[in-house]
Amino acid sequence: MPHSAFTFDDLQRYAPSVAEPDDFDEFWRATLTEAAAVPVLVDVRPEPTDLRLLDSWDVTFAGFGGDPVRAWYTRPAGVREPLPALVEYAGYGRGRGLPHERLTWPVAGYAHLLMDNRGQAGQHGAGDTPDPHGAPGGPSPATWGILDPRTYHYRRLITDAVRAVEAVRALPGVEGDRVSVVGNSQGGGLALAVAGLVDDLSAVLTTAPFLCDMRRAVALTDLAPYGEIARYLAVHREAEEAVWRTLSYVDAVSFARRATAPAQFGVGQRDTVCPPRTAFAAYNHYGAANGRPVPPERQMHVYPFNGHEGGEAVHVRRQLCWLDSVLQTVRASVM
Amino acid sequence: MPHSAFTFDDLQRYAPSVAEPDDFDEFWRATLTEAAAVPVLVDVRPEPTDLRLLDSWDVTFAGFGGDPVRAWYTRPAGVREPLPALVEYAGYGRGRGLPHERLTWPVAGYAHLLMDNRGQAGQHGAGDTPDPHGAPGGPSPATWGILDPRTYHYRRLITDAVRAVEAVRALPGVEGDRVSVVGNSQGGGLALAVAGLVDDLSAVLTTAPFLCDMRRAVALTDLAPYGEIARYLAVHREAEEAVWRTLSYVDAVSFARRATAPAQFGVGQRDTVCPPRTAFAAYNHYGAANGRPVPPERQMHVYPFNGHEGGEAVHVRRQLCWLDSVLQTVRASVM
Amino acid sequence: MPHSAFTFDDLQRYAPSVAEPDDFDEFWRATLTEAAAVPVLVDVRPEPTDLRLLDSWDVTFAGFGGDPVRAWYTRPAGVREPLPALVEYAGYGRGRGLPHERLTWPVAGYAHLLMDNRGQAGQHGAGDTPDPHGAPGGPSPATWGILDPRTYHYRRLITDAVRAVEAVRALPGVEGDRVSVVGNSQGGGLALAVAGLVDDLSAVLTTAPFLCDMRRAVALTDLAPYGEIARYLAVHREAEEAVWRTLSYVDAVSFARRATAPAQFGVGQRDTVCPPRTAFAAYNHYGAANGRPVPPERQMHVYPFNGHEGGEAVHVRRQLCWLDSVLQTVRASVM
Amino acid sequence: MPHSAFTFDDLQRYAPSVAEPDDFDEFWRATLTEAAAVPVLVDVRPEPTDLRLLDSWDVTFAGFGGDPVRAWYTRPAGVREPLPALVEYAGYGRGRGLPHERLTWPVAGYAHLLMDNRGQAGQHGAGDTPDPHGAPGGPSPATWGILDPRTYHYRRLITDAVRAVEAVRALPGVEGDRVSVVGNSQGGGLALAVAGLVDDLSAVLTTAPFLCDMRRAVALTDLAPYGEIARYLAVHREAEEAVWRTLSYVDAVSFARRATAPAQFGVGQRDTVCPPRTAFAAYNHYGAANGRPVPPERQMHVYPFNGHEGGEAVHVRRQLCWLDSVLQTVRASVM
Amino acid sequence: MPHSAFTFDDLQRYAPSVAEPDDFDEFWRATLTEAAAVPVLVDVRPEPTDLRLLDSWDVTFAGFGGDPVRAWYTRPAGVREPLPALVEYAGYGRGRGLPHERLTWPVAGYAHLLMDNRGQAGQHGAGDTPDPHGAPGGPSPATWGILDPRTYHYRRLITDAVRAVEAVRALPGVEGDRVSVVGNSQGGGLALAVAGLVDDLSAVLTTAPFLCDMRRAVALTDLAPYGEIARYLAVHREAEEAVWRTLSYVDAVSFARRATAPAQFGVGQRDTVCPPRTAFAAYNHYGAANGRPVPPERQMHVYPFNGHEGGEAVHVRRQLCWLDSVLQTVRASVM
Amino acid sequence: MPHSAFTFDDLQRYAPSVAEPDDFDEFWRATLTEAAAVPVLVDVRPEPTDLRLLDSWDVTFAGFGGDPVRAWYTRPAGVREPLPALVEYAGYGRGRGLPHERLTWPVAGYAHLLMDNRGQAGQHGAGDTPDPHGAPGGPSPATWGILDPRTYHYRRLITDAVRAVEAVRALPGVEGDRVSVVGNSQGGGLALAVAGLVDDLSAVLTTAPFLCDMRRAVALTDLAPYGEIARYLAVHREAEEAVWRTLSYVDAVSFARRATAPAQFGVGQRDTVCPPRTAFAAYNHYGAANGRPVPPERQMHVYPFNGHEGGEAVHVRRQLCWLDSVLQTVRASVM
């Protein structure tokens, strides 16, 4: 059913107060400090692809807890000069797949790092990184260790995502001051999380983001991954407060409030997986608590007849144009 | 669609050759030996239930890797004398739940131990035992660590199930020579596995068993949990041989072949979750390779109009009667 | 879709005016008087169950029109002393099943009578009581004889439910002044109806009740049994007023208004079978028109992530505790 | 899924041996004799319809047990001369509806009697005839009283159907020696039943017939009404033999074997409600045991891409042509 | 889900402002003038039907662009005198079918013309008229040529519908001053369109009309045909403004505003194909801009428990009565 | 349901005799000759994409009937030298989309022409080419003009596909003797059709092909597009022979028999859209009637756990490798 009582006007005004624990910043500072204690690059080796215009490498970097996290690094073949870089995060239930699956950004001329999602691959896409931790919680990745923010899967995944930015900066041929992040769905949520944790990104591109306004989202949809959390609560009725507390440490609205980089959002107005209002919660709060006098640039594209797939190729084109213009501004301001 | 080309006659004749690795026995001997190195009982404490006729205890025992595994131990209130015992295994996506959920066996007069399923609770039922391991494989419990038999979730779960038998024997008030196992669906598969690994059980009650004739089952149904394995293979196309190899170490048909205890089976002929022929594969091979001159007693009840729910209360009544008569025989032969 | 425009606050305030015919009390007084004209117990015979801790009897009592209605009577084995009793009503499409199916209450120490639903068994559960009446109306039990309150199936079923209380009081070993009623779904609606028709019950336990605020419920859901009434009206468009009139004689909100006993409610907030607001309609009006100066005790437990299954084992535990405390108060006040 | 292992060739050869009780003929002789003890016409009154070309009457006739059964009698307006007549039986869950709903046959020039289905109306179509009997069995019409052939709903409905033929012959303006029967789905099954019980019909038109080869049909489909019988057996597992015995008294294959009138069949090859092979079972046995030297004329039209709706208007046209030609033969042979 | 936040009171007040282009009248004047340039009747030949009470003819008339459009013309057999006529329009995905499919109106005594839908037949019903045009737009009839009002399929279909009125007036035996239009779903939308384009109709009967308040309807439902437009916009995101512009030329609310004939509406309140509010949009605006001092008579029948099927036979009876009374008024005023 | 009675062995042996009209070759010779009468290139203009590594052009070529057909031409940026070329055909309900959607082949170093599907875009993907023809048939593209091979949509689409090969050879920078074709689903069927009509292709890559063994396919699946043909036949029951005749002119098995180029197939064994056996029908007949002494090289990759999506990225990698090796052979043999 496409219709909702929530209109486009409602979306534009939707800026809910999302619970934020007092030690939110300290929690993440400590987590990232611990992760930063080991060198980020573990292994980098060339990967053949039969694509003449691109070169690819199989990268392993140290993520949360020093766990080895895999990624594909791809860039225009034979180009030696430093390039602006883009770190991409994959959707829920997917991993990095094969190196020839996501060509848009390297073909556009960027150095591109596609991070594997630990433990998730095998439902919708392939991957190579396990999540070697275990803690009380439900059987789906979105519920692994959900009873405590310290053991929650997304603490590890968000840390990996931050480390991926550090990894790409450690790779040869990257302009370290022109690194951006991009993702769709869970990848879009991770991009927002990184935007709130890394303060010198050049740009953030997020579409149909997961992880936003999560307590509300769990109430709005039955579909995975939010629905997996609701399912867990339907079984573990006593766990509700613990779950809300855990989620308050990973809500992308709280990360978005702290963000400083220009951001471009895309949303399908009929999205029933990640309800559009929850993306607007992040958008409307974006940069509001970043401590800077001027708010970051942000733009939102809404696709009224689309669901979770959003704007697809139309939006990709808009991403290419927008990022190009943002980076030229960056370059100008850096020079 | 209830109808299948597979008739009742076909079921009765279905005795496929299931792949069995050369080191099957050695694999399990080594695994169980390692598990046996630590004392089995970790903690036993009374659990209030508001049920006047029963007493319950919250039991923690050392399972695979010494991991703490929870269970409920329940028996007729105030009865001091040793009782025959029944170890029950829960279905996929469930745990031990609350201690007042499964009353049939203690009300019938048995000492009853209900084992938690590590890591699975939260989808269909509650539980308290995490699975603190991680290895390459898919995101669902049925695919955790599936690329290698040593890392597969069912290696750990089957070991827990064997250890549960040892745990109940270590508890006070149990007749150690009259211990039986019972389970439905995954619980039925675990009961068969234990039947093949523990050679002095009094009886085995298994309904709609999972884990049987798995390679065929993955080809026959899209529904979880078999369908989750198929889904993983649809994404990780390169993993097929590794998965078949792993499954060959946990197939309940191979365990059933080694079983020595009398067994009662129940199957719904319209079961689309655990196809009935796969239960017959275990039934028709039951005890065939246990090295004894006389095959164990076995019986099969088929419910032609039922699916995975099988015979429900009708079958429970048959279980009560059958177990009672088997145990009297046991008692007689022991005396 | 879990979300509804109806929030928890809306539920707490929802106290609609439900149509009540002028002769409501007279209708039921006459109906029950007529039923009371024959002795209630028709037959009581022991029923074997293989459960050592319990004794069961197959009871036949005279229901509406003197029709024989079956029930299971179960209590702790060998206990001679009078016990507090609980009458349980089964859900729609079910009957009393087998005597070993519902063990919680007798295991908790109560004398327990489980009433068969006339004519309904065979869809979700088994039973043994036909409904030997026929009148214009639709083909489903919820629509049998629905064109006139005198011929409506629920006139007969509610009368049976009241007679079941009389039957349990006529059985040996029951404390007649400590009889309570319990039920889920249709059973919960019957419990409320009995609460409004029998003024000396000790307690009422109702979960996910059917029969409440029925005209609204028919507008809110397509699922059976409400949806069967809507389906009938979609075919018999001329019958609408007759149907609303008939339902006004069996609406559990009107019964709840007359109730005097303490009551405990349980509701799943995502229930799409019996919409939660209709349970709140009964709860918010509970005892409001019972003619007594002090309203009866009542409590409501809401399970926000659950549907029609509600709180399951968690709620059962709450029921056990609450009934125990209520009965101790009853005992105290009786003494 | 349209495809079945059962091909068109298989259909043409499908002539299963359907169980027939020894007292089949005696059962029906006694049943019909008892019904014939009261005068068939109870009431006939004109019914306005706003259709200028037709006249309609609301007819009440005495069916099984003398119960009043309603019907619509419709014929070309103002025509006094006797006309060939057609008795039509409605589908499952339907009744006679309104008198302007089925116009084809009276517009073609026939006297047309449309019988109400006792107790069924209200699910798919409207009606006015209750089924004032009650006996052990399931809650759906197809399961009412199913434990005994004497109490089964279809004993009553088939008797009504035979009485409808007697009723139309008692009405003015009908050529008593040119009466035919027609029906679709359950109506088609009733037409076959009447064909086996009334030996001087002029023609039988049956499409997508229910009631044929019932034990097989219950195994082949989950859809109502066969699926309702399977559902009952899934709940009342002990009832299987009683149900098969009851069905053997109403199987339309046994009636078809006894039939003498010419018959035209229509079947959709993708019918999942009444599997096409079960119609072929009746067709291939049609007239085989009617004790006459020459088998009756029969024809079958198969619609390969259609389901339960079959040939619709295309088949209606074929029915009109075929009946016209058959009746001209009848007229010729009568003259 | 039957319930909607939109109540019956909301429906009665719902009179949205529907976009209407400045050249709406000119667009249709030019379109119809061009169509009128060729003689309307192309071919009329008798069609046998085996129905004794009716005569049928296969009619071909010149529709949009002079394209040959087929229709069935049916009337009481042998009646020479002029009769009031009714032009009927079929639903989406259907054509005229076979001549014996729609008997109500001729049996009631009317001359009846049933127009084929160009290009649509083959999904739900049969037909014989192709739509020999092609233009940019989507692959479903509701989207053919949708990027421009001049190329849109409904420009052609509405023109055909107007021409059908002219055709029936050109046929022998028709009272030219007593011609009415009737249709359900798309047919109901066409009836409203004709009501706004032809100013001397006697009556308009429309049920569950498509084409009303289309921009809103596309937002309210996913079901075809509105859902096919939404689907097109989900793929061709750039086409939104062009599509809204095109639809503004064919919205039946704008036609209804211009209508002068008495009108009867029927709506199922649970209609999810053509949302009931969109029918009320046409009803509440009906005749509001027809330039006459007294608004035309109109009535609305709402069926609260029905979906797109609406009132079915009950409503047909109301249509028969209402049209009869309206035509008698017409006759009186003409005389 | 993944399982089918059709095993892998059955697939390998499946080589059905597909009906082929006597004038098959003449029909296509005449059709292509007529199309060849006009110059193939109509318009070529640069298209910006923001992709630095590629250059794109918007191409218009003259297809069937000289109709303008759009395509994207894309190749490595700045490369002047002639490249081997690949013509790609899109799936059913899709068009060419946007030029940055299909990057694999140009990134691999090929000149790549992606043909628009006339009239189909708007259901699953975007496009810009209408199909300006109209003829009797059903409302879906797969049924447009289906009553006659001369008016059938696929006559036009296949002709366009052949013309696309001619177009790419007319473009600058293409090695005319190294042109291959590729497609998935409908695109795979078109690739096979072109393989049978153009005798100097270098290679054919086809996955999950539509258009193969069509009469059987229509019997095997309900899903579009085959299901749309079945749906049409369910409505137009008289059209069956005409439809089979039309399909016999476009069946890809007949084209495959005539093919001469090396071919690589990919199939998902659980494909329910284009049943795998129908792809094997083409594979097993591939080149069998091409009049050459040595059969062309062919290979088949089966993905046992995949449906219509097939091998995805894994198969793409295999395509890249295989085409590279085939073209090197071509180069060698040309040199």
Side-chain angles (χ1 to χ4, degrees), chain A residues 294-318:
Chain A
V294 182
E297 185 201 333
R298 60 179 187 183
Q299 63 174 235
M300 167 66 87
H301 296 281
V302 176
Y303 298 91
F305 302 97
N306 290 93
H308 195 52
E309 79 283 3
E312 294 178 317
V314 168
H315 190 69
V316 167
R317 186 75 195 279
R318 286 174 170 165

Side-chain angles (χ1 to χ4, degrees), chain B residues 42-127:
Chain B
V42 175
D43 191 47
V44 182
R45 58 185 69 191
E47 175 78 14
T49 65
D50 296 297
L51 299 174
R52 291 188 194 151
L53 272 46
L54 299 175
D55 290 334
S56 291
W57 288 265
D58 183 350
V59 170
T60 305
F61 68 90
F64 176 89
D67 298 332
V69 177
R70 310 288 287 274
W72 296 124
Y73 178 54
T74 305
R75 47 187 289 141
V79 177
R80 296 283 160 84
E81 74 207 81
L83 295 171
L86 202 58
V87 178
E88 183 170 359
Y89 307 110
Y92 186 73
R94 301 180 174 281
R96 62 175 184 167
L98 295 182
H100 58 286
E101 285 190 62
R102 305 214 180 191
L103 302 176
T104 307
W105 296 107
V107 170
Y110 296 93
H112 177 247
L113 187 81
L114 174 60
M115 183 182 92
D116 214 4
N117 287 323
R118 57 166 69 213
Q120 294 190 5
Q123 186 170 21
H124 301 302

Side-chain angles (χ1 to χ4, degrees), chain D residues 237-304:
Chain D
R237 296 166 182 85
E238 79 294 349
E240 192 176 347
E241 283 316 308
V243 164
W244 299 147
R245 179 173 174 268
T246 294
L247 296 184
S248 74
Y249 284 86
V250 300
D251 198 304
V253 171
S254 296
F255 291 119
R257 296 180 67 238
R258 289 156 170 80
T260 56
Q264 189 203 39
F265 287 68
V267 167
Q269 203 172 338
R270 298 181 177 201
D271 191 341
T272 54
V273 175
C274 295
R277 81 180 71 171
T278 64
F280 268 89
Y283 176 74
N284 287 328
H285 281 303
Y286 192 81
N290 69 2
R292 302 201 181 172
V294 182
E297 184 202 333
R298 60 178 186 180
Q299 61 174 236
M300 168 65 88
H301 296 281
V302 176
Y303 299 92

Side-chain angles (χ1 to χ4, degrees), chain F residues 201-220:
Chain F
L201 294 174
S202 295
V204 176
L205 301 103
T206 182
T207 50
F210 178 51
L211 293 176
C212 296
D213 195 13
M214 293 185 81
R215 184 168 177 170
R216 169 59 54 116
V218 170
L220 285 173

Side-chain angles (χ1 to χ4, degrees), chain D residues 62-119:
Chain D
F64 176 89
D67 298 332
V69 176
R70 308 289 286 277
W72 297 123
Y73 179 53
T74 304
R75 47 186 290 139
V79 176
R80 295 283 159 85
E81 75 206 80
L83 295 170
L86 202 58
V87 179
E88 182 170 359
Y89 306 110
Y92 186 73
R94 301 177 173 283
R96 63 175 183 169
L98 294 182
H100 60 284
E101 285 189 62
R102 305 215 182 190
L103 303 176
T104 307
W105 297 107
V107 169
Y110 295 93
H112 177 249
L113 187 80
L114 174 60
M115 184 182 91
D116 214 3
N117 287 324
R118 57 167 65 215

Side-chain angles (χ1 to χ4, degrees), chain B residues 2 94 183-186 206-210 223-224 265-276 301-319, chain C residues 94 101 122-126, chain D residues 222 227 229-237:
Chain B
R94 301 180 174 281
N184 184 55
S185 195
Q186 178 185 273
T206 181
T207 51
F210 178 52
L223 301 178
F265 286 68
V267 166
Q269 204 173 340
R270 298 180 177 202
D271 191 341
T272 54
V273 175
C274 295
H301 296 280
V302 176
Y303 298 91
F305 301 97
N306 290 94
H308 195 52
E309 78 285 2
E312 293 178 318
V314 168
H315 191 70
V316 167
R317 186 73 196 280
R318 287 174 168 164
Q319 289 182 314
Chain C
R94 302 178 172 281
E101 286 189 62
Q123 187 171 17
H124 301 301
Chain D
D222 273 341
I229 297 172
R231 180 89 205 128
Y232 177 76
L233 290 170
V235 169
H236 284 277
R237 296 166 182 85

Side-chain angles (χ1 to χ4, degrees), chain D residues 47-54 75-77 84 98-101 103-110 124 312-314 316-317 320-321 324 328, chain E residues 47-54 75-77 84 98-101 103-110 124 312-314 316-317 320-321 324 328:
Chain D
E47 175 76 15
T49 64
D50 295 298
L51 299 174
R52 292 189 194 150
L53 304 197
L54 299 175
R75 47 186 290 139
L98 294 182
H100 60 284
E101 285 189 62
L103 303 176
T104 307
W105 297 107
V107 169
Y110 295 93
H124 302 303
E312 293 180 317
V314 168
V316 167
R317 186 75 196 280
L320 289 166
C321 295
D324 195 56
Q328 284 173 14
Chain E
E47 175 78 14
T49 64
D50 296 297
L51 300 175
R52 290 185 196 153
L53 305 197
L54 298 175
R75 47 187 290 141
L98 295 182
H100 59 285
E101 286 190 61
L103 303 176
T104 307
W105 296 107
V107 170
Y110 296 93
H124 301 302
E312 292 178 319
V314 168
V316 167
R317 187 74 197 278
L320 288 165
C321 295
D324 194 58
Q328 284 173 13

